[in-house]
Amino acid sequence: MRPEPYIFDFDGTLVDSMPTWGGKMLHVLDKNGVSYPEDIVRTLTPLGDLGSARYFQEHFHLNKGVDELLAEMDEFALPAYRDAIQAKPGVREALEALRAGGHSLSVLTASPHRMLDPCLERLGLRALFDNVWSCDDFGLTKAQVEIYAQAAARLGRPVGECVFLDDNLGALRAAKQAGMRVIGVQDDSSRPDEAAIRALVSQFVTDLRLVGSADSHLLPPI
């Protein structure tokens, strides 16, 4: 079988950033005195910054422009992405092993390039990827099936030959609906959905070094 294209989520999959990612959204809502459901971050995660800003306008009736809402996210999160957020355990080793096997590696994330790019560069991971895409590059969110079809087209491969890795249930569902093989990645932020993720994916890993390993199927039940 020829090498497969692997497409990785960023937040919660490659880097341990979900507390910051979710925190910037709650920061905006709290700053603007908005009441919100306890699980709001799960809803926002596939939408990205731009999609979340529009969600705030439409669902919480925030009378602020998108640019102002994005600036409020940035004031909370940009310093952490530039200076503090770290890769999850085993990420570099896993990526290097996949590249050594001839697989192409891409990132597809809801995070904008202004947070994504400096973080990958600082961690020394950018050079391991053939493509680094934000949802902003497609004008779509990871909750939309079409973004996965478009990513496969950019790779020049049938969507069914692509492997997508994420910690978010909504994104994994959309990618699977598009026809990709999906791998679930454990993250504390997605524990409420972990049983549903396990039931959906072809493989579930606690560490990216387990991708493709039978050991990933021997995890104890949650």
Side-chain angles (χ1 to χ4, degrees):
M1 189 172 74
R2 64 174 175 160
E4 300 166 300
Y6 279 77
I7 304 172
F8 292 83
D9 169 50
F10 178 61
D11 297 281
T13 297
L14 295 174
V15 296
D16 190 15
S17 58
M18 283 308 296
T20 301
W21 200 97
K24 73 183 177 184
M25 300 307 178
L26 301 185
H27 168 74
V28 173
L29 295 175
D30 291 339
K31 181 173 182 176
N32 289 281
V34 174
S35 297
Y36 48 85
E38 185 177 346
D39 63 350
I40 187 63
V41 171
R42 291 161 68 191
T43 300
L44 298 174
T45 295
L47 303 183
D49 289 17
L50 184 58
S52 295
R54 290 171 176 162
Y55 187 94
F56 294 158
Q57 291 176 323
E58 295 168 10
H59 292 267
F60 296 122
H61 308 294
L62 279 182
N63 189 25
K64 287 188 174 181
V66 166
D67 288 346
E68 187 174 359
L69 293 170
L70 293 176
E72 291 179 0
M73 295 176 197
D74 288 357
E75 71 184 6
F76 180 91
L78 268 178
Y81 279 90
R82 287 173 176 165
D83 304 322
I85 286 168
Q86 295 298 312
K88 295 181 79 170
V91 163
R92 176 178 292 280
E93 296 93 328
L95 296 175
E96 289 176 343
L98 288 169
R99 282 194 70 89
H103 303 285
S104 74
L105 307 181
S106 300
V107 173
L108 176 59
T109 176
S111 280
H113 282 289
R114 63 184 181 277
M115 296 187 188
L116 166 67
D117 295 345
C119 189
L120 284 176
E121 291 288 355
R122 174 174 54 81
L123 296 173
L125 298 177
R126 177 60 184 88
L128 295 173
F129 291 101
D130 302 293
N131 306 283
V132 174
W133 295 315
S134 167
C135 290
D136 298 343
D137 300 324
F138 296 84
L140 297 166
T141 76
K142 286 168 62 183
Q144 295 174 277
V145 172
E146 179 61 24
I147 197 170
Y148 305 98
Q150 289 193 20
R154 291 189 186 194
L155 292 168
R157 297 287 291 271
V159 68
E161 293 182 3
C162 299
V163 183
F164 178 68
L165 300 91
D166 206 311
D167 61 294
N168 179 262
L169 176 60
L172 289 164
R173 277 179 175 158
K176 186 171 184 177
Q177 186 178 348
M180 289 188 178
R181 180 162 70 89
V182 292
I183 296 176
V185 181
Q186 188 178 67
D187 190 74
D188 287 344
S189 67
S190 57
R191 282 199 179 275
D193 293 325
E194 192 166 310
I197 291 173
R198 286 174 180 264
L200 176 75
V201 300
S202 62
Q203 187 180 19
F204 183 85
V205 296
T206 56
D207 184 311
L208 287 185
R209 287 170 291 193
L210 291 172
V211 170
S213 167
D215 292 342
S216 63
H217 299 283
L218 304 178
L219 299 170
I222 57 173

